[in-house]
Amino acid sequence: MVVALRGVKGANSYGQLGLGHKEDVLLPQQLNDFCKPRCVRRITGGGGHSAVVTDGGSLFVCGLNKDGQLGLGHTEDVLYFTPCKSLLGCPIQQVACGWDFTIILTESGQVLSCGSNSFGQLGVPHGPRRCVVPQAIELLREKVVSIAAGLRHALAATASGIVFQWGTGLASSGRRLCPVKTLPLFLTAKEPSRVTGLEDSKATCVVAGSCHSASLTAAGELYVWGSNKHGQLASQAAFLPAPQKIEAPCFQNEKVTAVWSGWTHLVAQTETGKVFTWGRADYGQLGRKLESHEGWKLDQQDSSLPGLRPRNSTLSSLHCLTGATEVSCGSEHNLAVISGACYSWGWNEHGMCGDGTEANVWAPKPVQALRSSSGLLVGCGAGHSLALCQLPALPALGQGPMVTDDSPDATKDAKSQEAIDKERNWKERQPEISTQSQSDRCRNGGLVTETLQ
């Protein structure tokens, strides 16, 4: 078998697909090898840039670089995946790409940052407005195991389970929606500040959206805070200035084992393999039609929260995604790997769903151009997608090409017998849930994060 990074598709205005040009790509294209493809550990993207981490800890980057977010020492866009030479000899474990900045976690647990610092998102309060070479965030003195990058803020979870946040990306909406309250320091700090309200839990993973944050605990509980404009916090509050737990019945009383975030929606997986989606839905990013009771209402009771407030956003499982081994969220689109098939759904204006069109995809569908390849890893940027696939072996000399059936279409999300079987057998096939295995599979989409193994 041959393993290759293929399935790059979507917006490419800055060369973030690494193909050597700046034209959008509506169907998956295979990249020329820039590293040993069998050794790829992580793939992820930001507003207009992409990053790949190898098993050896090398970091390759490409795309938009006007603020130095590629960490290459300059501000020119890069059209091919290029090694970040300033990090040679410093093995990288994880990368989180924000809109115009990058957060980097080393294998030793140290956090570095580069790119724009206009909102304090680099965690260096008195630093320049941008940094073109990764620099250490000195105030994070504990070993870090998980990082996340939002639109204009970032987070880190330490080995001891403490969550830190920095960057002012949530402050403006917090002041507008909570005018009578003093916002906690972690929402306004330009340096790592401990997130208060999580003292009785141990965080294993953090994720971030455009204006919200979330933390997954060792006990399988999910806490959320920030903007709730689109119901992404499963609350009736317009803004949550402090972390609030999403109660277990929302997940059918199962522990959460993995979580991913787009800009305004979230995806979570539970211990039996069920996958839940909630939040904004107008591009199909939830992979399902909203129920009649979901949506918006005018609040006339609380003058401190003017205007429209979301109803309690319903968390609903997508049976066709049960047992997914990989999920990644872009700004408003998603990728998943299910039984080796790569699925996509959501916003598709730039072709990031890889179906050859620019029409939004309203339910998870297999990417037909990848139907003969087994999906291994997926990663999303705000408007582009990447997938690591195992290509089929070439037929022996004298034999015809292997014919394979198309993957099943998951447009109709009826709970098939296959889905029921997967749900029933998922727990039996999984090892005992541990803090380690939880943190392995938590990602911040669009703004995708990976976590320490």
Side-chain angles (χ1 to χ4, degrees):
M1 290 290 185
V2 178
V3 180
L5 187 61
R6 65 181 305 197
V8 293
K9 50 193 179 282
N12 194 34
S13 302
Y14 309 102
Q16 59 263 51
L17 297 185
L19 294 170
H21 61 77
K22 294 187 176 183
E23 301 297 323
D24 285 1
V25 176
L26 304 186
L27 286 169
Q29 301 292 315
Q30 183 170 334
L31 282 171
N32 293 325
D33 291 346
F34 56 88
C35 66
K36 293 180 179 179
R38 292 179 183 272
C39 297
V40 173
R41 178 192 293 171
R42 314 282 195 218
I43 49 179
T44 188
H49 63 298
S50 303
V52 170
V53 179
T54 70
D55 279 340
S58 296
L59 173 63
F60 290 80
V61 291
C62 68
L64 181 61
N65 193 36
K66 73 179 183 65
D67 291 300
Q69 54 263 57
L70 300 186
L72 299 176
H74 60 78
T75 57
E76 299 296 321
D77 293 350
V78 176
L79 305 186
Y80 296 95
F81 277 98
T82 302
C84 190
K85 294 182 178 179
S86 65
L87 296 175
L88 291 177
C90 180
I92 303 307
Q93 177 65 41
Q94 174 197 356
V95 176
C97 297
W99 177 252
D100 52 9
F101 67 102
T102 305
I103 306 296
I104 301 164
L105 177 62
T106 71
E107 289 187 353
S108 65
Q110 185 180 37
V111 181
L112 314 173
S113 62
C114 57
S116 172
N117 196 35
S118 297
F119 296 87
Q121 61 267 56
L122 297 189
V124 185
H126 305 296
R129 290 185 65 83
R130 69 182 185 189
C131 181
V132 299
V133 175
Q135 58 183 336
I137 301 179
E138 300 291 350
L139 292 176
L140 280 174
R141 297 184 178 91
E142 294 188 53
K143 180 179 180 180
V144 170
V145 296
S146 174
I147 55 175
L151 193 66
R152 294 168 175 168
H153 73 290
L155 300 106
T158 69
S160 62
I162 298 173
V163 176
F164 290 87
Q165 181 170 308
W166 62 95
T168 60
L170 280 63
S172 60
S173 57
R175 292 189 183 102
R176 184 177 70 255
L177 297 170
C178 301
V180 298
K181 296 181 180 179
T182 300
L183 295 181
L185 179 61
F186 66 83
L187 293 180
T188 61
K190 294 185 178 181
E191 58 189 38
S193 177
R194 182 169 180 171
V195 176
T196 52
L198 295 173
E199 291 79 9
D200 295 330
S201 63
K202 180 179 180 180
T204 58
C205 165
V206 286
V207 299
S210 60
C211 292
H212 68 264
S213 303
S215 172
L216 180 61
T217 73
E221 298 173 332
L222 184 61
Y223 287 81
V224 291
W225 61 95
S227 173
N228 191 36
K229 182 178 180 180
H230 300 281
Q232 63 265 45
L233 305 188
S235 168
Q236 285 201 345
F239 189 92
L240 291 176
Q244 179 173 294
K245 183 173 70 173
I246 298 180
E247 296 300 331
C250 294
F251 299 107
Q252 299 177 14
N253 293 310
E254 294 185 10
K255 293 182 179 180
V256 178
T257 57
V259 62
W260 304 267
S261 181
W263 279 2
T264 49
H265 72 287
L266 285 99
V267 180
Q269 189 169 47
T270 62
E271 57 192 328
T272 63
K274 296 174 185 174
V275 175
F276 293 77
T277 64
W278 67 100
R280 191 174 183 179
D282 51 356
Y283 297 105
Q285 56 267 58
L286 299 190
R288 56 184 172 86
K289 292 183 179 180
L290 290 185
E291 301 296 335
S292 59
H293 64 275
E294 296 183 77
W296 303 84
K297 67 177 180 179
L298 184 64
D299 176 28
Q300 299 176 334
Q301 298 178 349
D302 189 346
S303 60
S304 69
L305 299 175
L308 289 174
R309 293 174 61 197
R311 292 183 185 270
N312 277 338
S313 181
T314 301
L315 283 70
S316 182
S317 63
L318 286 178
H319 304 306
C320 62
L321 296 182
T322 297
T325 54
E326 285 284 323
V327 177
S328 182
C329 299
S331 60
E332 308 289 0
H333 76 288
N334 313 268
L335 298 176
V337 176
I338 309 161
S339 300
C342 184
Y343 285 69
S344 65
W345 69 98
W347 183 43
N348 196 30
E349 181 179 350
H350 301 284
M352 49 278 218
C353 289
D355 63 354
T357 78
E358 295 179 323
N360 296 334
V361 178
W362 295 89
K365 292 182 179 181
V367 179
Q368 292 300 318
L370 300 177
R371 64 186 182 275
S372 61
S373 306
S374 295
L376 301 174
L377 291 173
V378 288
C380 296
H384 63 286
S385 303
L386 304 100
L388 181 72
C389 298
Q390 182 170 281
L391 306 183
L394 295 175
L397 188 63
Q399 293 182 351
M402 186 179 298
V403 178
T404 60
D405 294 331
D406 287 351
S407 300
D409 191 335
T411 302
K412 294 183 179 180
D413 192 31
K415 190 167 186 178
S416 63
Q417 184 61 44
E418 180 184 1
I420 295 173
D421 291 341
K422 284 193 292 185
E423 186 175 307
R424 180 186 301 119
N425 295 330
W426 173 260
K427 193 170 184 179
E428 297 176 5
R429 292 186 286 109
Q430 298 303 305
E432 177 105 14
I433 301 279
S434 64
T435 300
Q436 177 94 8
S437 61
Q438 281 189 15
S439 63
D440 286 352
R441 303 190 55 243
C442 299
R443 296 180 176 86
N444 166 58
L447 310 170
V448 175
T449 68
E450 308 283 348
T451 55
L452 184 66
Q453 290 192 355

